[in-house]
Structure formats: structure tokens, C-alpha cells
Amino acid sequence: MDKKQNQPKEYDVVFGGDNPLPLGGLVLGGLEGAKHRLSSNILEERIAALSEVLNYGEPGLNLLIQALKDESEQVQNKAYSLLLSRDEQNVKEALRQYKPWQFFEYLRTTSGHSHPVCCSAVSPDGQILVTGADGIKVWNLKTGKQLYSLSSPGPKYVSISPDGETLLSAFYEYGQMQLWNLKTGQLIQTLKPEDSRHSTSIMVSSDWQTVVGVKNKSIEIWNLKTKKLIRTLKVYCGKLSCIALSSNGKILAGGSFDNRIRVWDLNTGKEIQTLEGHVQSVCFLAISPNNKIIVSCGEKSIKVWDLETGKLINTFIDHKRRIVSAAISYDWQRIISYSIDKSIVQWNLNTGQKLGTYQETFENVFFLLVTDKGQNFITISDRIVNIWDLHTAKISDTFSVIGHLVSISSLALSPDGATIYSCGGGDATIKLWDSQTGDNISTLFGHSAPVHCLVTKQDGSILFSASSDKTIKIWDVKNKQEISTIVGHSNRIFSLDISHNGKILASGDLDGNIQVWNLETKKEIYTLQQKAYSDYSRNGVFSLAISPDAKKLVSCTERLYPVLQVWNLETGEEIYSLTEVPVESIKISPNGQYLITGGQNRNAIEVRDLQTGTQIRTFPGQIDCLTISPDGEAIFVGSKDKSIQIWNLNTGELVRSLKPHPFYYDRKAIAISQNGQILVSGKGGNINIWGVRKVE
């Protein structure tokens, strides 16, 4: 070892001068000084010393490893945080022995909505996209990355100011509007008159001076400059399908489900025009910047009207099926329309000439937005954003704005916890997430029906998924490609598990069949039949667990008709069964000694001897889902009290309760990485990520 490593460096504090040292005093620098500060009784001094020790090579690294055993949690956390980025073998071994779950905290939530997008807006410079669903999310259109999210319950309308600095959002149920700083995400002001409830439509003028809220029998007019309600007009509006507001905020047009377009003067509240010509309800309206032209879409046609006289000027027809969405370029030279046959048509708004036809790839497009002064346009389905180049008629970029459409049904992680795999019971996709940022990495398509469960091989190279389409798919994780499909089940598959050696896969379906597969040959070894609780009960297999030595298999049915069975995996014979034990989640400890079960109706986690089924101990609580730490010492429980509880399996002690958000955890939607550093849990259609927070 280089002796110079122990000497003071340029970053050490060394006092000089003519003054003598205090009697018995000693000035320490270098490694010895760091050692001295690490042994201090002053907590702040020990924490400060940790950042220094890495400057002294291997001896300093050993001091940092020793600090993992410090009596202070703060010192342990700081040492753990500093060691996470190291690649040395002794560091990796120390982190494996360390129990980070003692200090888990909420870190972040994955990007994406949990429900279909219901409103959207794009900034004037084409850089920012805002989407509303279960809250508001703000995206960088160039990268597809989520910038931040805003907590706004059920937004139905969003608009961005002409200077790109302010966002207006509205949710109709309470007639409430909110103004946000678009750059920082800070709430500026909430607009809500006492008598304002249940608006059916809201629209802001293009000059951002006026905002109008429409109800069944009244219209509210706001001045956005003063943030004050100007007046309320008592008019019968009926049920409107869409609205448009003139640039000066003086004229309001409403498309109705009775196929008419009504136009009101907002100064007087009088209806000044009724436009008739559509044969089905109107789905889109816009008033030109000079307030002379109104454009409407309904059935298969686009109509252009003279707003002053109410006369029809032009009609464009090309779509073969009903138009459901449209957008007009900023210069009002072009209109783009989308039909339910997935065709997109671009028109010259002045002449009616068709400029181009495109074919969308997704079934449902709910929004069309024009950006970059007409050079690009955006289509938004319930979950995907496509950015189109108007000149080439091709998609230039695409990204997802939704996690899963309904609650997550299963989660898995790469061994190092860097990548999260998720599936939702409501869609046929598997999503990959970056646990460090929460960003969606990619989406795997292949199943034709909702995906219910996921498992990975021990080395993380292969992912298995099972679905309502009765198939199991095998995925190459590195290349994000489907390798093969296993077919054999007669009904929807709801459970999967893989042996520790990666040679055996077990799958359970709604008919109660448990099929055991040889993964080397992709052939079925045998089929087991889950025992029914009674002659009249359904006996679908909803949870499976294979013991670490691949000698036992545990299966269970749903909680209404509970049956838990333990099988000899080598012979397929039943070892024992338990009835009237409502179990929804089952896990086997890494040492193969314990069977851990949990269920809502049981109000407890039960720890049993796997060999005999004898109950050893219980933990209280209403259980939605559970998993176990890789070291076998901790149980993580998603509970109905909206917390994740961490229990010491050996002592029965409650170690920690994680409770950052008011939501419920879904069945099976919890998992921990093999290195024990990342815990993930379902949050509706998204994922909460937990771990030890890095100390700066």
C-alpha cells in the first residue's frame, strides 16, 4: 500500500502559523484524521467524515463499509448511499449483507396516467404537451419524458396561455378552474364562485382574456386578467357536444346532440344564430381569429359557415365513416380530421382541397393537436401520443402517456432493481420502467388479451408473461423481443412461478388447471387439478409458489372459496391441503422452511412450516399482497390501511410502515429486487418505487 495515501492531501485542513499547539493537543489529517472523526460522539462530525474517506483508496473504502454498522441510521444511510455507486467486489458483498429494507422510503412514482387521457394542450412553441386524466401531466414533446405532474382531481379541460407560461385546468364536477405556472408546476390561483357547480363545458378565448363555463341553463363569463367572474347569463343551453369561443371572448358557439349549432352573444346572452345542416351530432367547432367564419365537423363532413349571416359556405366530404376529432392550424389555412376508420385527412380550409391522407395505427384517437405552426400534428389515443410530420405523412416520434388502463396486476424486477416490469389487468401490454427516473423505457406488445402475471429467471435474462388469451409468452429482456409462446391452457391464466434453477415453470388457470412445464423443451410435464371447495364453487388458481429446491409447489384458489394445496413437484402428488383459509398471496421463504400466506378475509399473515403446514406465527392486518426480502428476514405487506408494512419474519416485530399516499395496494402488485435495494408496489395503473434515499 502506498504510504502517501495516509498523508494530508490538498483537501485536508492543516493549521500552521506561529502560535503553539494547545497543551496535549493533536492535529490529525489524512486517513488518521478521518478515522478520528468517524469515532466521534458528535453525529454531524461522523457524517461529514464519510465523504472524505473515499479519498484514501482501499483503506478509506473499508472504513465506509464499517460505517454500515454504525449505531446511527443517518450514518448507515450516508455510507450506504456512497457505496451504491462502487463496483468493488468487497463493496457488493457488504451491500448484500446489509439490510436496506430497514430504511426504505418512498422515492418516486412512474410516469404515466392510470386512466385514458380526456383533455390535452400543446404549448405555442411545440415543446410542451399537457395531458389530463387522473391528474395533469406535463411532457417534453421532443424527448417524450414526463417533466412533472400536477395533483388535480379529474381535469376535463386544459389550455396553455399564448406566452407559454400559464396553464389553465378545469374539472366540471365542482365548476372549479386552476391556474398553474407551466414552468415550475406551482399553483397560482383557484377560481371557484360559490354557486358554480357541474359545468358541462369550459373554453378559454385565444387571447386568453376570457374564459366561459357552460351549464345546462346558464353561461358563466370570467375575466382571466382580473381572475373575477364578470357575469352569469341565464340561457338554456341543453346538452352540448362541443363549444367554441371567439378570439375576443364575445361570441360562443355550441354544437348540440340535436345536430344543431347555436350561437350566443355573450354581452346580451341572446341566441343570434342557429345553424342547421348536420345530420348527426356535432363533434368539433372552431371560430376563426377574425370572428367571421365558423367550422364544424359532424357525421362524415366538415362544414364552413359565415358566422354573421349563418349561411353555409362550403362542405368537405371524403371520410367513409364518422369524424370524431379535428384540429385547425394556427394560420387557419389547413384543417385535419380523424374518422373512426382510423383515417386522417388534411384539407385546405379555404378551398376544400384534400392535401393528404394518413392512416393511424391505434384504434381510438381522442385528440388532434397542431404544433410547430402547422409543421407537425399530434394524435393522442387513450394511451399513446404520435407526432406526425405533415410533409412526409409519417410518424416522426411516439411515446406512451399512460401506465396501465386499470390497476396493476403483477410486478417483477431485474436482479439489480434497475428495470421494473409491469402488467395491468385491463390491457394486453407489458411495460418496462427505469426505477431511477420512473420513466417508461418501452412497451412489449404480443398478447391479444389482458396480461395478469409476470415472473423472471433468476439471472434476469428472460421474462415470462401469462394472459387471458390462454398463452404464456417468453421474452428476451435485453432485446425486448418475444422468443416463443407456450400454448396449452383451456382458460385464462392468472398465476405463474418459476423454479430457482430456471428449469421448471408452473401456471394456473381459471378452470383450476395447474400445468407444469419443462422450460428446456417447452413441453408440459404434467397437469394438476386444483381441489374445489365445494361441488358448486369455482376453483381457479390465483397464486402459485415453487420452493427454492424445486421439490414443492403451493397453489391456492380465490378467497371466496379458499383451498390451499401443497404438491410434490417431482411426482405431482398432493402432500397436504388446507381449506377455509382465505388466501390471496403465497410466498415461500428463501431457505424453503416457511410458507407465508395472506388474505383480506383472514385479517392476518400466517407463517407455516412448509413441510407440515403447521402454523408458527401470525402478523395482524388486512392483506392485499405480500412479498419477502431476498435474505428471508423481512415480509413486505400491502395492507388495506393504505400502508406497506415491513415485518421481521423471525421475531414478529413491525420494522417499518411506509405510508406516503392515500391509495390501496392491489392484489399481487408488490415485488422486491434480488439485491434487496428496490421495492415496488402498484398505485392504480402506475408504480410506486421505494428504497434507501441517497444522501447528498
Side-chain angles (χ1 to χ4, degrees):
M1 182 181 69
D2 186 356
K3 292 182 180 180
K4 291 182 179 179
Q5 282 187 341
N6 295 334
Q7 301 305 311
K9 306 286 181 68
E10 64 272 12
Y11 35 73
D12 289 319
V13 178
V14 180
F15 292 96
D18 298 328
N19 294 329
L21 289 172
L23 185 64
L26 178 66
V27 176
L28 291 177
L31 184 62
E32 290 304 317
K35 283 182 181 179
H36 182 73
R37 287 187 289 280
L38 283 172
S39 63
S40 170
N41 291 326
I42 302 171
L43 176 62
E44 291 77 11
E45 193 168 335
R46 298 206 306 277
I47 292 174
L50 291 174
S51 299
E52 299 177 26
V53 297
L54 287 176
N55 297 315
Y56 302 108
E58 187 176 346
L61 199 60
N62 290 332
L63 284 176
L64 204 56
I65 292 172
Q66 291 173 25
L68 291 173
K69 300 177 181 179
D70 192 274
E71 62 184 20
S72 165
E73 287 189 13
Q74 290 174 268
V75 173
Q76 292 180 39
N77 278 7
K78 180 68 179 288
Y80 178 82
S81 177
L82 292 169
L83 289 168
L84 273 177
S85 59
R86 307 293 298 197
D87 294 323
E88 290 85 351
Q89 194 58 41
N90 62 331
V91 173
K92 291 181 177 179
E93 182 58 34
L95 291 179
R96 271 195 291 269
Q97 295 177 10
Y98 182 70
K99 304 184 190 329
W101 43 265
Q102 302 173 84
F103 312 112
F104 274 0
E105 298 179 40
Y106 167 76
L107 299 179
R108 63 190 60 88
T109 299
T110 53
S111 61
H113 293 288
S114 299
H115 297 86
V117 174
C118 61
C119 54
S120 60
V122 64
S123 62
D125 61 5
Q127 301 292 314
I128 302 296
L129 174 70
V130 177
T131 55
D134 51 322
I136 296 170
K137 295 190 180 291
V138 181
W139 309 83
N140 183 317
L141 261 180
K142 301 301 180 184
T143 64
K145 301 298 184 184
Q146 180 180 305
L147 300 176
Y148 57 84
S149 61
L150 305 174
S151 179
S152 178
K156 300 297 183 184
Y157 176 78
V158 288
S159 176
I160 298 174
S161 61
D163 60 9
E165 294 187 359
T166 308
L167 169 70
L168 180 142
S169 65
F171 40 104
Y172 302 158
E173 286 79 1
Y174 305 101
Q176 184 169 303
M177 293 174 284
Q178 293 175 314
L179 293 169
W180 309 81
N181 185 312
L182 188 59
K183 292 182 178 178
T184 66
Q186 295 297 311
L187 179 64
I188 299 171
Q189 190 172 352
T190 297
L191 311 177
K192 183 184 177 183
E194 292 182 3
D195 62 343
S196 180
R197 289 188 180 181
H198 303 290
S199 296
T200 58
S201 301
I202 289 176
M203 178 69 70
V204 62
S205 61
S206 59
D207 62 4
W208 250 62
Q209 298 297 307
T210 307
V211 63
V212 171
V214 181
K215 303 178 187 179
N216 189 37
K217 295 182 180 180
S218 66
I219 298 172
E220 292 177 345
I221 306 165
W222 289 75
N223 184 314
L224 267 183
K225 215 171 190 179
T226 63
K227 316 294 191 300
K228 300 293 184 182
L229 180 66
I230 301 171
R231 68 177 70 89
T232 299
L233 303 175
K234 299 298 181 182
V235 297
Y236 177 73
C237 303
K239 191 173 182 181
L240 300 181
S241 54
C242 55
I243 62 173
L245 185 62
S246 64
S247 60
N248 58 15
K250 294 181 179 180
I251 297 172
L252 176 72
S256 175
F257 286 99
D258 65 5
N259 312 336
R260 295 181 176 90
I261 301 167
R262 292 179 172 83
V263 183
W264 291 275
D265 183 326
L266 292 183
N267 287 325
T268 64
K270 292 184 178 180
E271 186 176 316
I272 56 176
Q273 293 287 355
T274 299
L275 310 179
E276 298 187 17
H278 286 288
V279 295
Q280 292 181 10
S281 60
V282 180
C283 67
F284 172 82
L285 279 177
I287 298 174
S288 63
N290 62 8
N291 305 318
K292 293 183 177 180
I293 299 294
I294 187 167
V295 177
S296 62
C297 295
E299 67 279 340
K300 304 173 187 177
S301 68
I302 299 169
K303 294 184 182 294
V304 182
W305 312 78
D306 184 306
L307 187 55
E308 188 175 339
T309 65
K311 291 184 178 179
L312 181 64
I313 299 171
N314 207 343
T315 299
F316 315 153
I317 299 177
D318 184 76
H319 286 287
K320 295 179 175 59
R321 300 189 67 184
R322 180 168 53 91
I323 297 171
V324 291
S325 187
I328 296 176
S329 62
Y330 285 114
D331 60 7
W332 265 70
Q333 297 300 305
R334 288 174 284 183
I335 183 170
I336 302 165
S337 54
Y338 171 79
S339 166
I340 58 173
D341 64 5
K342 299 194 287 185
S343 66
I344 300 169
V345 178
Q346 182 188 178
W347 312 81
N348 183 308
L349 191 53
N350 297 313
T351 66
Q353 178 188 2
K354 188 169 69 171
L355 302 177
T357 301
Y358 322 101
Q359 195 67 26
E360 179 55 85
T361 55
F362 291 96
E363 288 293 333
N364 301 310
V365 167
F366 297 99
F367 301 100
L368 275 170
L369 300 169
V370 178
T371 183
D372 287 345
K373 297 183 179 178
Q375 299 304 307
N376 298 83
F377 71 94
I378 301 168
T379 57
I380 305 177
S381 69
D382 52 10
R383 64 176 74 104
I384 299 294
V385 172
N386 281 336
I387 303 173
W388 296 74
D389 186 309
L390 276 174
H391 300 293
T392 64
K394 292 181 180 179
I395 296 173
S396 59
D397 201 3
T398 185
F399 62 91
S400 175
V401 291
I402 199 165
H404 291 280
L405 286 174
V406 296
S407 296
I408 287 171
S409 53
S410 185
L411 290 166
L413 291 114
S414 60
D416 61 1
T419 305
I420 306 166
Y421 311 103
S422 67
C423 62
D427 60 74
T429 65
I430 300 159
K431 290 185 178 290
L432 280 64
W433 308 86
D434 184 328
S435 67
Q436 294 302 307
T437 64
D439 290 333
N440 181 221
I441 301 169
S442 62
T443 301
L444 305 180
F445 298 92
H447 284 288
S448 58
V451 184
H452 299 293
C453 42
L454 303 170
V455 293
T456 61
K457 284 187 71 173
Q458 193 74 8
D459 63 5
S461 62
I462 302 295
L463 176 71
F464 300 85
S465 60
S467 163
S468 282
D469 63 13
K470 308 174 190 176
T471 70
I472 300 165
K473 290 193 179 291
I474 305 174
W475 306 85
D476 180 328
V477 169
K478 183 178 180 181
N479 297 313
K480 302 177 181 63
Q481 292 181 345
E482 181 183 333
I483 298 172
S484 60
T485 300
I486 297 176
V487 179
H489 279 278
S490 59
N491 209 330
R492 291 176 285 170
I493 306 169
F494 279 94
S495 53
L496 276 181
D497 200 19
I498 188 172
S499 62
H500 191 274
N501 61 16
K503 294 181 179 180
I504 302 294
L505 182 73
S507 53
D509 66 25
L510 198 57
D511 288 333
N513 295 315
I514 303 167
Q515 293 184 260
V516 180
W517 309 87
N518 183 321
L519 286 177
E520 293 178 340
T521 64
K522 309 294 190 301
K523 300 294 184 182
E524 181 186 337
I525 302 173
Y526 53 75
T527 297
L528 306 173
Q529 182 65 42
Q530 179 76 27
K531 185 184 295 183
Y533 181 74
S534 71
D535 293 337
Y536 306 101
S537 68
R538 217 169 64 181
N539 59 347
V541 182
F542 287 88
S543 288
L544 287 170
I546 298 175
S547 62
D549 60 6
K551 291 184 178 180
K552 293 182 181 66
L553 171 68
V554 184
S555 62
C556 72
T557 61
E558 61 182 332
R559 68 175 182 265
L560 295 177
Y561 307 105
V563 177
L564 182 146
Q565 288 175 273
V566 180
W567 310 82
N568 184 319
L569 191 57
E570 296 175 326
T571 65
E573 296 177 347
E574 182 189 290
I575 299 173
Y576 63 85
S577 64
L578 302 171
T579 58
E580 300 185 15
V581 179
V583 171
E584 294 164 47
S585 296
I586 52 177
K587 290 290 178 183
I588 298 173
S589 61
N591 62 7
Q593 183 178 353
Y594 302 117
L595 171 64
I596 301 105
T597 64
Q600 292 178 30
N601 291 1
R602 197 69 171 180
N603 293 332
I605 313 157
E606 297 178 337
V607 181
R608 300 176 181 273
D609 183 291
L610 178 61
Q611 189 67 31
T612 63
T614 304
Q615 183 175 297
I616 298 170
R617 68 171 58 91
T618 63
F619 305 98
Q622 289 184 300
I623 314 306
D624 275 346
C625 53
L626 65 86
T627 191
I628 187 168
S629 62
D631 60 16
E633 293 192 23
I635 303 171
F636 304 87
V637 179
S639 174
K640 275 294 184 185
D641 71 354
K642 305 177 185 179
S643 70
I644 291 182
Q645 296 172 345
I646 306 176
W647 297 87
N648 187 305
L649 178 59
N650 299 313
T651 67
E653 174 193 5
L654 179 62
V655 179
R656 202 172 184 87
S657 185
L658 309 175
K659 191 177 179 180
H661 295 301
F663 58 81
Y664 292 114
Y665 297 92
D666 303 305
R667 178 180 176 270
K668 285 191 180 179
I670 192 168
I672 190 168
S673 60
Q674 286 180 33
N675 63 8
Q677 294 176 8
I678 295 293
L679 177 74
V680 291
S681 58
K683 180 195 176 186
N686 284 296
I687 303 158
N688 276 343
I689 303 168
W690 314 78
V692 178
R693 188 175 299 281
K694 290 186 177 181
V695 182
E696 300 300 333

